[in-house]
Amino acid sequence: DTAVSQTPKYLVTQMGNDKSIKCEQNLGHDTMYWYKQDSKKFLKIMFSYNNKELIINETVPNRFSPKSPDKAHLNLHINSLELGDSAVYFCASSPAGGGSQETQYFGPGTRLLVL
Amino acid sequence: AQTVTQSQPEMSVQEAETVTLSCTYDTSESDYYLFWYKQPPSRQMILVIRQEAYKQQNATENRFSVNFQKAAKSFSLKISDSQLGDAAMYFCAYSGSRLTFGEGTQLTVNP
């Protein structure tokens, strides 16, 4: 199946731990994104990468570090997890440079619960 | 900064009826795109429809159509012949320098 996939789908962890979420797209897209959806369902962009290069870096704590080993993968590493990091994290991709005309295709989301 | 407002947190519709979800946005840009995404209980974000701001013609995808009023900065979604599977959270999104989402409208479809 051509898609954007994320692992894991669910992540339950203790405060203070470090965790990673992986994202892969096999759509041949050049740009990938991370979004955070909070408990009120509000979706906000965190980062975007175009061909492994960071192009959007919203006001996100330094504990969040994205890494793009190649243009098909964008991982999100979170250090020293806090209760407020509990949310659903979505990966997305778009075909080219991330311009306004591009449709973004979303992964299934990773529900992170910090206890 | 662009903002997107969905003034209806919840809406309900009878099966087979028509419902319209509202969305307004604020921008100073002239070239942009607008989207409606659907998020069912499965959590997956699914593209419903997109509209290019430079096009006057309203976009249509089967039972889904939009009413795009550029001067009023309004972009509503009409769902005709509503089906149970349409029940979901619907997000309006503005695409300029980045994709900005509204707060969402939870649509319930009653049998």
Side-chain angles (χ1 to χ4, degrees), chain A residues 9-10 35 37 41-43 56 58 90 100-101 103-104 106-109, chain B residues 31 33 35 37 39 43-45 47 50 89 91 95-99 101-102:
Chain A
K9 286 193 175 173
Y10 298 94
Y35 287 85
Q37 186 174 41
K41 302 278 186 150
F42 186 65
L43 263 160
I56 292 177
E58 288 292 289
F90 284 96
S100 60
Q101 75 282 3
T103 297
Q104 293 185 23
F106 285 78
Chain B
D31 186 22
Y33 292 72
F35 299 84
Y37 281 88
Q39 187 177 37
R43 206 168 64 211
Q44 180 74 50
M45 292 288 288
L47 176 69
R50 65 176 259 163
M89 181 75 93
F91 291 96
S95 182
S97 59
R98 60 205 60 204
L99 195 60
F101 287 88

PDB file of all heavy atoms in Angstrom, chain A residues 9-10 35 37 41-43 56 58 90 100-101 103-104 106-109, chain B residues 31 33 35 37 39 43-45 47 50 89 91 95-99 101-102:
ATOM      1  N   LYS A   9       1.807   3.090  17.079  1.00  0.00           N
ATOM      2  CA  LYS A   9       0.504   3.758  17.048  1.00  0.00           C
ATOM      3  C   LYS A   9       0.128   4.263  18.437  1.00  0.00           C
ATOM      4  O   LYS A   9      -0.590   5.250  18.563  1.00  0.00           O
ATOM      5  CB  LYS A   9      -0.578   2.802  16.549  1.00  0.00           C
ATOM      6  CG  LYS A   9      -0.495   2.558  15.069  1.00  0.00           C
ATOM      7  CD  LYS A   9      -1.724   1.880  14.521  1.00  0.00           C
ATOM      8  CE  LYS A   9      -1.624   1.770  13.004  1.00  0.00           C
ATOM      9  NZ  LYS A   9      -2.697   0.973  12.423  1.00  0.00           N
ATOM     10  N   TYR A  10       0.572   3.568  19.440  1.00  0.00           N
ATOM     11  CA  TYR A  10       0.319   3.961  20.824  1.00  0.00           C
ATOM     12  C   TYR A  10       1.630   3.904  21.596  1.00  0.00           C
ATOM     13  O   TYR A  10       2.453   3.005  21.379  1.00  0.00           O
ATOM     14  CB  TYR A  10      -0.697   3.029  21.500  1.00  0.00           C
ATOM     15  CG  TYR A  10      -2.051   3.034  20.845  1.00  0.00           C
ATOM     16  CD1 TYR A  10      -2.382   2.101  19.877  1.00  0.00           C
ATOM     17  CD2 TYR A  10      -3.003   3.991  21.201  1.00  0.00           C
ATOM     18  CE1 TYR A  10      -3.625   2.118  19.272  1.00  0.00           C
ATOM     19  CE2 TYR A  10      -4.253   4.015  20.591  1.00  0.00           C
ATOM     20  CZ  TYR A  10      -4.549   3.072  19.630  1.00  0.00           C
ATOM     21  OH  TYR A  10      -5.781   3.078  19.030  1.00  0.00           O
ATOM     22  N   TYR A  35       3.001  17.112  13.100  1.00  0.00           N
ATOM     23  CA  TYR A  35       1.957  17.911  13.724  1.00  0.00           C
ATOM     24  C   TYR A  35       1.649  17.337  15.094  1.00  0.00           C
ATOM     25  O   TYR A  35       1.758  16.143  15.318  1.00  0.00           O
ATOM     26  CB  TYR A  35       0.658  17.853  12.892  1.00  0.00           C
ATOM     27  CG  TYR A  35       0.694  18.634  11.616  1.00  0.00           C
ATOM     28  CD1 TYR A  35       1.220  18.069  10.452  1.00  0.00           C
ATOM     29  CD2 TYR A  35       0.190  19.931  11.554  1.00  0.00           C
ATOM     30  CE1 TYR A  35       1.247  18.785   9.266  1.00  0.00           C
ATOM     31  CE2 TYR A  35       0.216  20.651  10.370  1.00  0.00           C
ATOM     32  CZ  TYR A  35       0.745  20.070   9.238  1.00  0.00           C
ATOM     33  OH  TYR A  35       0.773  20.784   8.064  1.00  0.00           O
ATOM     34  N   GLN A  37      -1.566  17.114  17.804  1.00  0.00           N
ATOM     35  CA  GLN A  37      -2.996  17.342  18.056  1.00  0.00           C
ATOM     36  C   GLN A  37      -3.244  17.195  19.547  1.00  0.00           C
ATOM     37  O   GLN A  37      -3.084  16.117  20.113  1.00  0.00           O
ATOM     38  CB  GLN A  37      -3.865  16.356  17.271  1.00  0.00           C
ATOM     39  CG  GLN A  37      -5.356  16.665  17.405  1.00  0.00           C
ATOM     40  CD  GLN A  37      -6.226  15.788  16.525  1.00  0.00           C
ATOM     41  OE1 GLN A  37      -6.005  14.587  16.390  1.00  0.00           O
ATOM     42  NE2 GLN A  37      -7.231  16.381  15.908  1.00  0.00           N
ATOM     43  N   LYS A  41      -8.266  18.553  20.304  1.00  0.00           N
ATOM     44  CA  LYS A  41      -8.242  18.196  18.877  1.00  0.00           C
ATOM     45  C   LYS A  41      -7.619  19.285  18.003  1.00  0.00           C
ATOM     46  O   LYS A  41      -7.724  19.212  16.789  1.00  0.00           O
ATOM     47  CB  LYS A  41      -9.657  17.901  18.346  1.00  0.00           C
ATOM     48  CG  LYS A  41     -10.373  16.788  19.064  1.00  0.00           C
ATOM     49  CD  LYS A  41      -9.943  15.465  18.539  1.00  0.00           C
ATOM     50  CE  LYS A  41     -10.769  14.349  19.149  1.00  0.00           C
ATOM     51  NZ  LYS A  41     -10.917  13.222  18.289  1.00  0.00           N
ATOM     52  N   PHE A  42      -6.977  20.276  18.625  1.00  0.00           N
ATOM     53  CA  PHE A  42      -6.364  21.321  17.820  1.00  0.00           C
ATOM     54  C   PHE A  42      -5.053  20.816  17.225  1.00  0.00           C
ATOM     55  O   PHE A  42      -4.199  20.291  17.939  1.00  0.00           O
ATOM     56  CB  PHE A  42      -6.124  22.570  18.669  1.00  0.00           C
ATOM     57  CG  PHE A  42      -5.636  23.737  17.878  1.00  0.00           C
ATOM     58  CD1 PHE A  42      -6.443  24.317  16.914  1.00  0.00           C
ATOM     59  CD2 PHE A  42      -4.357  24.234  18.067  1.00  0.00           C
ATOM     60  CE1 PHE A  42      -5.997  25.386  16.159  1.00  0.00           C
ATOM     61  CE2 PHE A  42      -3.898  25.301  17.314  1.00  0.00           C
ATOM     62  CZ  PHE A  42      -4.720  25.879  16.349  1.00  0.00           C
ATOM     63  N   LEU A  43      -4.911  20.997  15.912  1.00  0.00           N
ATOM     64  CA  LEU A  43      -3.744  20.511  15.173  1.00  0.00           C
ATOM     65  C   LEU A  43      -2.803  21.654  14.879  1.00  0.00           C
ATOM     66  O   LEU A  43      -3.201  22.665  14.302  1.00  0.00           O
ATOM     67  CB  LEU A  43      -4.199  19.952  13.822  1.00  0.00           C
ATOM     68  CG  LEU A  43      -4.411  18.469  13.714  1.00  0.00           C
ATOM     69  CD1 LEU A  43      -5.282  18.179  12.532  1.00  0.00           C
ATOM     70  CD2 LEU A  43      -3.093  17.738  13.566  1.00  0.00           C
ATOM     71  N   ILE A  56      10.662  24.256   8.320  1.00  0.00           N
ATOM     72  CA  ILE A  56       9.783  24.890   9.303  1.00  0.00           C
ATOM     73  C   ILE A  56      10.153  24.345  10.672  1.00  0.00           C
ATOM     74  O   ILE A  56      10.262  23.140  10.868  1.00  0.00           O
ATOM     75  CB  ILE A  56       8.290  24.613   9.017  1.00  0.00           C
ATOM     76  CG1 ILE A  56       7.850  25.307   7.743  1.00  0.00           C
ATOM     77  CG2 ILE A  56       7.422  25.081  10.192  1.00  0.00           C
ATOM     78  CD1 ILE A  56       6.399  25.020   7.354  1.00  0.00           C
ATOM     79  N   GLU A  58       8.609  25.398  14.241  1.00  0.00           N
ATOM     80  CA  GLU A  58       7.740  26.230  15.050  1.00  0.00           C
ATOM     81  C   GLU A  58       8.284  26.333  16.467  1.00  0.00           C
ATOM     82  O   GLU A  58       9.272  25.688  16.810  1.00  0.00           O
ATOM     83  CB  GLU A  58       6.323  25.657  15.078  1.00  0.00           C
ATOM     84  CG  GLU A  58       5.599  25.823  13.762  1.00  0.00           C
ATOM     85  CD  GLU A  58       5.286  27.263  13.438  1.00  0.00           C
ATOM     86  OE1 GLU A  58       4.412  27.859  14.102  1.00  0.00           O
ATOM     87  OE2 GLU A  58       5.924  27.820  12.515  1.00  0.00           O
ATOM     88  N   PHE A  90       0.996  13.518  14.486  1.00  0.00           N
ATOM     89  CA  PHE A  90       0.767  13.103  13.104  1.00  0.00           C
ATOM     90  C   PHE A  90       1.971  13.463  12.252  1.00  0.00           C
ATOM     91  O   PHE A  90       2.492  14.576  12.320  1.00  0.00           O
ATOM     92  CB  PHE A  90      -0.453  13.818  12.511  1.00  0.00           C
ATOM     93  CG  PHE A  90      -1.763  13.273  12.975  1.00  0.00           C
ATOM     94  CD1 PHE A  90      -2.435  13.869  14.039  1.00  0.00           C
ATOM     95  CD2 PHE A  90      -2.330  12.174  12.363  1.00  0.00           C
ATOM     96  CE1 PHE A  90      -3.648  13.375  14.476  1.00  0.00           C
ATOM     97  CE2 PHE A  90      -3.552  11.672  12.790  1.00  0.00           C
ATOM     98  CZ  PHE A  90      -4.200  12.275  13.850  1.00  0.00           C
ATOM     99  N   SER A 100       2.135  26.167  -0.881  1.00  0.00           N
ATOM    100  CA  SER A 100       0.746  26.275  -0.446  1.00  0.00           C
ATOM    101  C   SER A 100      -0.196  25.421  -1.295  1.00  0.00           C
ATOM    102  O   SER A 100      -1.261  25.027  -0.830  1.00  0.00           O
ATOM    103  CB  SER A 100       0.288  27.736  -0.507  1.00  0.00           C
ATOM    104  OG  SER A 100       0.380  28.228  -1.840  1.00  0.00           O
ATOM    105  N   GLN A 101       0.205  25.123  -2.523  1.00  0.00           N
ATOM    106  CA  GLN A 101      -0.688  24.403  -3.431  1.00  0.00           C
ATOM    107  C   GLN A 101      -0.684  22.907  -3.191  1.00  0.00           C
ATOM    108  O   GLN A 101      -1.480  22.181  -3.767  1.00  0.00           O
ATOM    109  CB  GLN A 101      -0.288  24.669  -4.894  1.00  0.00           C
ATOM    110  CG  GLN A 101       0.962  23.940  -5.372  1.00  0.00           C
ATOM    111  CD  GLN A 101       2.244  24.581  -4.904  1.00  0.00           C
ATOM    112  OE1 GLN A 101       2.245  25.560  -4.152  1.00  0.00           O
ATOM    113  NE2 GLN A 101       3.375  24.045  -5.352  1.00  0.00           N
ATOM    114  N   THR A 103      -1.183  19.313  -1.499  1.00  0.00           N
ATOM    115  CA  THR A 103      -2.005  18.586  -0.549  1.00  0.00           C
ATOM    116  C   THR A 103      -1.092  17.770   0.352  1.00  0.00           C
ATOM    117  O   THR A 103      -0.155  17.118  -0.122  1.00  0.00           O
ATOM    118  CB  THR A 103      -2.971  17.651  -1.294  1.00  0.00           C
ATOM    119  OG1 THR A 103      -3.849  18.456  -2.091  1.00  0.00           O
ATOM    120  CG2 THR A 103      -3.795  16.826  -0.312  1.00  0.00           C
ATOM    121  N   GLN A 104      -1.363  17.802   1.626  1.00  0.00           N
ATOM    122  CA  GLN A 104      -0.598  16.997   2.565  1.00  0.00           C
ATOM    123  C   GLN A 104      -1.363  15.718   2.878  1.00  0.00           C
ATOM    124  O   GLN A 104      -2.572  15.730   3.080  1.00  0.00           O
ATOM    125  CB  GLN A 104      -0.335  17.789   3.848  1.00  0.00           C
ATOM    126  CG  GLN A 104       0.594  18.974   3.614  1.00  0.00           C
ATOM    127  CD  GLN A 104       0.965  19.700   4.887  1.00  0.00           C
ATOM    128  OE1 GLN A 104       0.902  19.132   5.989  1.00  0.00           O
ATOM    129  NE2 GLN A 104       1.349  20.955   4.759  1.00  0.00           N
ATOM    130  N   PHE A 106      -1.635  12.471   5.406  1.00  0.00           N
ATOM    131  CA  PHE A 106      -1.323  12.226   6.809  1.00  0.00           C
ATOM    132  C   PHE A 106      -1.172  10.745   7.129  1.00  0.00           C
ATOM    133  O   PHE A 106      -1.846   9.891   6.541  1.00  0.00           O
ATOM    134  CB  PHE A 106      -2.428  12.811   7.697  1.00  0.00           C
ATOM    135  CG  PHE A 106      -2.355  14.305   7.806  1.00  0.00           C
ATOM    136  CD1 PHE A 106      -2.816  15.114   6.787  1.00  0.00           C
ATOM    137  CD2 PHE A 106      -1.820  14.899   8.932  1.00  0.00           C
ATOM    138  CE1 PHE A 106      -2.740  16.500   6.876  1.00  0.00           C
ATOM    139  CE2 PHE A 106      -1.734  16.284   9.045  1.00  0.00           C
ATOM    140  CZ  PHE A 106      -2.192  17.079   8.007  1.00  0.00           C
ATOM    141  N   GLY A 107      -0.314  10.484   8.097  1.00  0.00           N
ATOM    142  CA  GLY A 107      -0.211   9.159   8.667  1.00  0.00           C
ATOM    143  C   GLY A 107      -1.340   8.904   9.653  1.00  0.00           C
ATOM    144  O   GLY A 107      -2.160   9.790   9.897  1.00  0.00           O
ATOM    145  N   PRO A 108      -1.391   7.723  10.251  1.00  0.00           N
ATOM    146  CA  PRO A 108      -2.494   7.352  11.139  1.00  0.00           C
ATOM    147  C   PRO A 108      -2.408   7.963  12.524  1.00  0.00           C
ATOM    148  O   PRO A 108      -3.344   7.845  13.306  1.00  0.00           O
ATOM    149  CB  PRO A 108      -2.387   5.830  11.213  1.00  0.00           C
ATOM    150  CG  PRO A 108      -0.938   5.558  10.973  1.00  0.00           C
ATOM    151  CD  PRO A 108      -0.467   6.608  10.021  1.00  0.00           C
ATOM    152  N   GLY A 109      -1.296   8.615  12.837  1.00  0.00           N
ATOM    153  CA  GLY A 109      -1.152   9.234  14.147  1.00  0.00           C
ATOM    154  C   GLY A 109      -0.537   8.286  15.172  1.00  0.00           C
ATOM    155  O   GLY A 109      -0.690   7.065  15.093  1.00  0.00           O
TER     156      GLY A 109
ATOM    157  N   ASP B  31      -2.612  34.568  -2.799  1.00  0.00           N
ATOM    158  CA  ASP B  31      -2.502  33.244  -3.410  1.00  0.00           C
ATOM    159  C   ASP B  31      -2.433  32.206  -2.301  1.00  0.00           C
ATOM    160  O   ASP B  31      -1.464  32.177  -1.527  1.00  0.00           O
ATOM    161  CB  ASP B  31      -1.262  33.166  -4.300  1.00  0.00           C
ATOM    162  CG  ASP B  31      -1.200  31.848  -5.054  1.00  0.00           C
ATOM    163  OD1 ASP B  31      -2.258  31.215  -5.224  1.00  0.00           O
ATOM    164  OD2 ASP B  31      -0.090  31.459  -5.464  1.00  0.00           O
ATOM    165  N   TYR B  33      -4.488  28.258  -0.759  1.00  0.00           N
ATOM    166  CA  TYR B  33      -5.380  27.127  -1.001  1.00  0.00           C
ATOM    167  C   TYR B  33      -6.127  26.824   0.289  1.00  0.00           C
ATOM    168  O   TYR B  33      -5.639  27.102   1.392  1.00  0.00           O
ATOM    169  CB  TYR B  33      -4.580  25.900  -1.458  1.00  0.00           C
ATOM    170  CG  TYR B  33      -3.962  26.085  -2.818  1.00  0.00           C
ATOM    171  CD1 TYR B  33      -2.880  26.941  -3.006  1.00  0.00           C
ATOM    172  CD2 TYR B  33      -4.486  25.428  -3.929  1.00  0.00           C
ATOM    173  CE1 TYR B  33      -2.328  27.138  -4.250  1.00  0.00           C
ATOM    174  CE2 TYR B  33      -3.934  25.626  -5.189  1.00  0.00           C
ATOM    175  CZ  TYR B  33      -2.855  26.477  -5.335  1.00  0.00           C
ATOM    176  OH  TYR B  33      -2.314  26.671  -6.587  1.00  0.00           O
ATOM    177  N   PHE B  35      -8.558  23.791   2.326  1.00  0.00           N
ATOM    178  CA  PHE B  35      -8.841  22.363   2.377  1.00  0.00           C
ATOM    179  C   PHE B  35      -9.878  22.067   3.450  1.00  0.00           C
ATOM    180  O   PHE B  35      -9.993  22.779   4.451  1.00  0.00           O
ATOM    181  CB  PHE B  35      -7.573  21.572   2.741  1.00  0.00           C
ATOM    182  CG  PHE B  35      -6.431  21.717   1.766  1.00  0.00           C
ATOM    183  CD1 PHE B  35      -5.562  22.804   1.849  1.00  0.00           C
ATOM    184  CD2 PHE B  35      -6.221  20.773   0.780  1.00  0.00           C
ATOM    185  CE1 PHE B  35      -4.509  22.939   0.961  1.00  0.00           C
ATOM    186  CE2 PHE B  35      -5.172  20.901  -0.123  1.00  0.00           C
ATOM    187  CZ  PHE B  35      -4.312  21.988  -0.015  1.00  0.00           C
ATOM    188  N   TYR B  37     -10.513  18.646   5.741  1.00  0.00           N
ATOM    189  CA  TYR B  37     -10.094  17.306   6.118  1.00  0.00           C
ATOM    190  C   TYR B  37     -11.137  16.723   7.060  1.00  0.00           C
ATOM    191  O   TYR B  37     -11.775  17.429   7.824  1.00  0.00           O
ATOM    192  CB  TYR B  37      -8.742  17.316   6.843  1.00  0.00           C
ATOM    193  CG  TYR B  37      -7.533  17.449   5.950  1.00  0.00           C
ATOM    194  CD1 TYR B  37      -7.045  18.698   5.588  1.00  0.00           C
ATOM    195  CD2 TYR B  37      -6.870  16.321   5.483  1.00  0.00           C
ATOM    196  CE1 TYR B  37      -5.916  18.822   4.789  1.00  0.00           C
ATOM    197  CE2 TYR B  37      -5.736  16.436   4.682  1.00  0.00           C
ATOM    198  CZ  TYR B  37      -5.268  17.684   4.349  1.00  0.00           C
ATOM    199  OH  TYR B  37      -4.147  17.798   3.552  1.00  0.00           O
ATOM    200  N   GLN B  39     -11.733  13.730  10.061  1.00  0.00           N
ATOM    201  CA  GLN B  39     -11.068  12.832  10.996  1.00  0.00           C
ATOM    202  C   GLN B  39     -12.119  11.965  11.689  1.00  0.00           C
ATOM    203  O   GLN B  39     -12.762  12.377  12.645  1.00  0.00           O
ATOM    204  CB  GLN B  39     -10.256  13.610  12.044  1.00  0.00           C
ATOM    205  CG  GLN B  39      -9.422  12.708  12.936  1.00  0.00           C
ATOM    206  CD  GLN B  39      -8.560  13.472  13.929  1.00  0.00           C
ATOM    207  OE1 GLN B  39      -8.963  14.498  14.467  1.00  0.00           O
ATOM    208  NE2 GLN B  39      -7.345  12.985  14.154  1.00  0.00           N
ATOM    209  N   ARG B  43      -9.139   8.178  13.744  1.00  0.00           N
ATOM    210  CA  ARG B  43      -8.084   9.183  13.944  1.00  0.00           C
ATOM    211  C   ARG B  43      -7.397   9.594  12.643  1.00  0.00           C
ATOM    212  O   ARG B  43      -6.683  10.588  12.597  1.00  0.00           O
ATOM    213  CB  ARG B  43      -7.045   8.651  14.948  1.00  0.00           C
ATOM    214  CG  ARG B  43      -6.288   9.710  15.700  1.00  0.00           C
ATOM    215  CD  ARG B  43      -5.521   9.073  16.841  1.00  0.00           C
ATOM    216  NE  ARG B  43      -4.513   8.147  16.386  1.00  0.00           N
ATOM    217  CZ  ARG B  43      -4.144   7.068  17.093  1.00  0.00           C
ATOM    218  NH1 ARG B  43      -4.736   6.775  18.231  1.00  0.00           N
ATOM    219  NH2 ARG B  43      -3.197   6.270  16.635  1.00  0.00           N
ATOM    220  N   GLN B  44      -7.568   8.822  11.586  1.00  0.00           N
ATOM    221  CA  GLN B  44      -6.912   9.127  10.324  1.00  0.00           C
ATOM    222  C   GLN B  44      -7.405  10.449   9.758  1.00  0.00           C
ATOM    223  O   GLN B  44      -8.600  10.714   9.738  1.00  0.00           O
ATOM    224  CB  GLN B  44      -7.194   8.007   9.311  1.00  0.00           C
ATOM    225  CG  GLN B  44      -6.563   8.209   7.958  1.00  0.00           C
ATOM    226  CD  GLN B  44      -5.063   7.978   7.982  1.00  0.00           C
ATOM    227  OE1 GLN B  44      -4.588   6.965   8.473  1.00  0.00           O
ATOM    228  NE2 GLN B  44      -4.309   8.919   7.445  1.00  0.00           N
ATOM    229  N   MET B  45      -6.502  11.293   9.297  1.00  0.00           N
ATOM    230  CA  MET B  45      -6.868  12.559   8.646  1.00  0.00           C
ATOM    231  C   MET B  45      -7.044  12.293   7.158  1.00  0.00           C
ATOM    232  O   MET B  45      -6.096  11.879   6.481  1.00  0.00           O
ATOM    233  CB  MET B  45      -5.766  13.606   8.857  1.00  0.00           C
ATOM    234  CG  MET B  45      -5.609  14.065  10.279  1.00  0.00           C
ATOM    235  SD  MET B  45      -6.975  15.103  10.813  1.00  0.00           S
ATOM    236  CE  MET B  45      -6.643  16.593   9.889  1.00  0.00           C
ATOM    237  N   LEU B  47      -8.333  13.724   3.397  1.00  0.00           N
ATOM    238  CA  LEU B  47      -8.671  14.893   2.596  1.00  0.00           C
ATOM    239  C   LEU B  47     -10.079  14.721   2.019  1.00  0.00           C
ATOM    240  O   LEU B  47     -10.391  13.701   1.421  1.00  0.00           O
ATOM    241  CB  LEU B  47      -7.674  15.051   1.453  1.00  0.00           C
ATOM    242  CG  LEU B  47      -7.982  16.184   0.477  1.00  0.00           C
ATOM    243  CD1 LEU B  47      -7.796  17.542   1.148  1.00  0.00           C
ATOM    244  CD2 LEU B  47      -7.114  16.069  -0.765  1.00  0.00           C
ATOM    245  N   ARG B  50     -10.438  20.269  -1.823  1.00  0.00           N
ATOM    246  CA  ARG B  50      -9.542  21.412  -1.822  1.00  0.00           C
ATOM    247  C   ARG B  50     -10.022  22.473  -2.799  1.00  0.00           C
ATOM    248  O   ARG B  50     -10.696  22.139  -3.786  1.00  0.00           O
ATOM    249  CB  ARG B  50      -8.108  21.015  -2.128  1.00  0.00           C
ATOM    250  CG  ARG B  50      -7.882  20.461  -3.503  1.00  0.00           C
ATOM    251  CD  ARG B  50      -6.402  20.197  -3.750  1.00  0.00           C
ATOM    252  NE  ARG B  50      -5.804  21.256  -4.555  1.00  0.00           N
ATOM    253  CZ  ARG B  50      -4.505  21.472  -4.659  1.00  0.00           C
ATOM    254  NH1 ARG B  50      -3.658  20.757  -3.966  1.00  0.00           N
ATOM    255  NH2 ARG B  50      -4.037  22.417  -5.434  1.00  0.00           N
ATOM    256  N   MET B  89     -14.997  14.352  12.822  1.00  0.00           N
ATOM    257  CA  MET B  89     -14.562  15.729  13.065  1.00  0.00           C
ATOM    258  C   MET B  89     -14.091  16.276  11.723  1.00  0.00           C
ATOM    259  O   MET B  89     -13.309  15.613  11.026  1.00  0.00           O
ATOM    260  CB  MET B  89     -13.429  15.757  14.087  1.00  0.00           C
ATOM    261  CG  MET B  89     -12.934  17.142  14.414  1.00  0.00           C
ATOM    262  SD  MET B  89     -14.065  18.033  15.480  1.00  0.00           S
ATOM    263  CE  MET B  89     -13.375  17.631  17.073  1.00  0.00           C
ATOM    264  N   PHE B  91     -12.187  19.365   9.734  1.00  0.00           N
ATOM    265  CA  PHE B  91     -11.267  20.483   9.915  1.00  0.00           C
ATOM    266  C   PHE B  91     -11.146  21.268   8.616  1.00  0.00           C
ATOM    267  O   PHE B  91     -10.897  20.706   7.546  1.00  0.00           O
ATOM    268  CB  PHE B  91      -9.868  19.987  10.302  1.00  0.00           C
ATOM    269  CG  PHE B  91      -9.797  19.384  11.674  1.00  0.00           C
ATOM    270  CD1 PHE B  91      -9.884  18.012  11.843  1.00  0.00           C
ATOM    271  CD2 PHE B  91      -9.626  20.185  12.789  1.00  0.00           C
ATOM    272  CE1 PHE B  91      -9.810  17.439  13.106  1.00  0.00           C
ATOM    273  CE2 PHE B  91      -9.548  19.629  14.062  1.00  0.00           C
ATOM    274  CZ  PHE B  91      -9.641  18.249  14.214  1.00  0.00           C
ATOM    275  N   SER B  95      -3.894  26.984   3.544  1.00  0.00           N
ATOM    276  CA  SER B  95      -2.526  26.678   3.143  1.00  0.00           C
ATOM    277  C   SER B  95      -1.890  27.899   2.499  1.00  0.00           C
ATOM    278  O   SER B  95      -2.248  28.293   1.392  1.00  0.00           O
ATOM    279  CB  SER B  95      -2.517  25.506   2.164  1.00  0.00           C
ATOM    280  OG  SER B  95      -1.189  25.172   1.812  1.00  0.00           O
ATOM    281  N   GLY B  96      -0.962  28.489   3.260  1.00  0.00           N
ATOM    282  CA  GLY B  96      -0.159  29.601   2.738  1.00  0.00           C
ATOM    283  C   GLY B  96       1.291  29.216   2.911  1.00  0.00           C
ATOM    284  O   GLY B  96       1.809  28.306   2.283  1.00  0.00           O
ATOM    285  N   SER B  97       1.970  29.864   3.829  1.00  0.00           N
ATOM    286  CA  SER B  97       3.348  29.474   4.139  1.00  0.00           C
ATOM    287  C   SER B  97       3.378  28.157   4.908  1.00  0.00           C
ATOM    288  O   SER B  97       4.405  27.471   4.938  1.00  0.00           O
ATOM    289  CB  SER B  97       4.038  30.570   4.953  1.00  0.00           C
ATOM    290  OG  SER B  97       3.336  30.795   6.155  1.00  0.00           O
ATOM    291  N   ARG B  98       2.268  27.838   5.535  1.00  0.00           N
ATOM    292  CA  ARG B  98       2.118  26.564   6.236  1.00  0.00           C
ATOM    293  C   ARG B  98       0.641  26.238   6.317  1.00  0.00           C
ATOM    294  O   ARG B  98      -0.203  27.097   6.073  1.00  0.00           O
ATOM    295  CB  ARG B  98       2.754  26.607   7.628  1.00  0.00           C
ATOM    296  CG  ARG B  98       2.179  27.641   8.557  1.00  0.00           C
ATOM    297  CD  ARG B  98       3.184  28.029   9.616  1.00  0.00           C
ATOM    298  NE  ARG B  98       4.380  28.590   8.999  1.00  0.00           N
ATOM    299  CZ  ARG B  98       5.563  28.594   9.561  1.00  0.00           C
ATOM    300  NH1 ARG B  98       5.730  28.058  10.754  1.00  0.00           N
ATOM    301  NH2 ARG B  98       6.609  29.123   8.951  1.00  0.00           N
ATOM    302  N   LEU B  99       0.361  24.999   6.676  1.00  0.00           N
ATOM    303  CA  LEU B  99      -1.042  24.576   6.772  1.00  0.00           C
ATOM    304  C   LEU B  99      -1.555  24.913   8.168  1.00  0.00           C
ATOM    305  O   LEU B  99      -1.000  24.439   9.172  1.00  0.00           O
ATOM    306  CB  LEU B  99      -1.124  23.072   6.507  1.00  0.00           C
ATOM    307  CG  LEU B  99      -2.495  22.482   6.216  1.00  0.00           C
ATOM    308  CD1 LEU B  99      -3.115  23.105   4.979  1.00  0.00           C
ATOM    309  CD2 LEU B  99      -2.384  20.969   6.046  1.00  0.00           C
ATOM    310  N   PHE B 101      -4.864  24.965  10.702  1.00  0.00           N
ATOM    311  CA  PHE B 101      -6.162  24.315  10.867  1.00  0.00           C
ATOM    312  C   PHE B 101      -7.096  25.129  11.753  1.00  0.00           C
ATOM    313  O   PHE B 101      -6.658  25.838  12.666  1.00  0.00           O
ATOM    314  CB  PHE B 101      -5.979  22.933  11.515  1.00  0.00           C
ATOM    315  CG  PHE B 101      -5.396  21.901  10.601  1.00  0.00           C
ATOM    316  CD1 PHE B 101      -4.028  21.743  10.487  1.00  0.00           C
ATOM    317  CD2 PHE B 101      -6.230  21.081   9.850  1.00  0.00           C
ATOM    318  CE1 PHE B 101      -3.488  20.794   9.637  1.00  0.00           C
ATOM    319  CE2 PHE B 101      -5.703  20.122   8.996  1.00  0.00           C
ATOM    320  CZ  PHE B 101      -4.333  19.979   8.891  1.00  0.00           C
ATOM    321  N   GLY B 102      -8.399  24.980  11.491  1.00  0.00           N
ATOM    322  CA  GLY B 102      -9.406  25.473  12.415  1.00  0.00           C
ATOM    323  C   GLY B 102      -9.559  24.514  13.580  1.00  0.00           C
ATOM    324  O   GLY B 102      -8.896  23.480  13.654  1.00  0.00           O
TER     325      GLY B 102
END
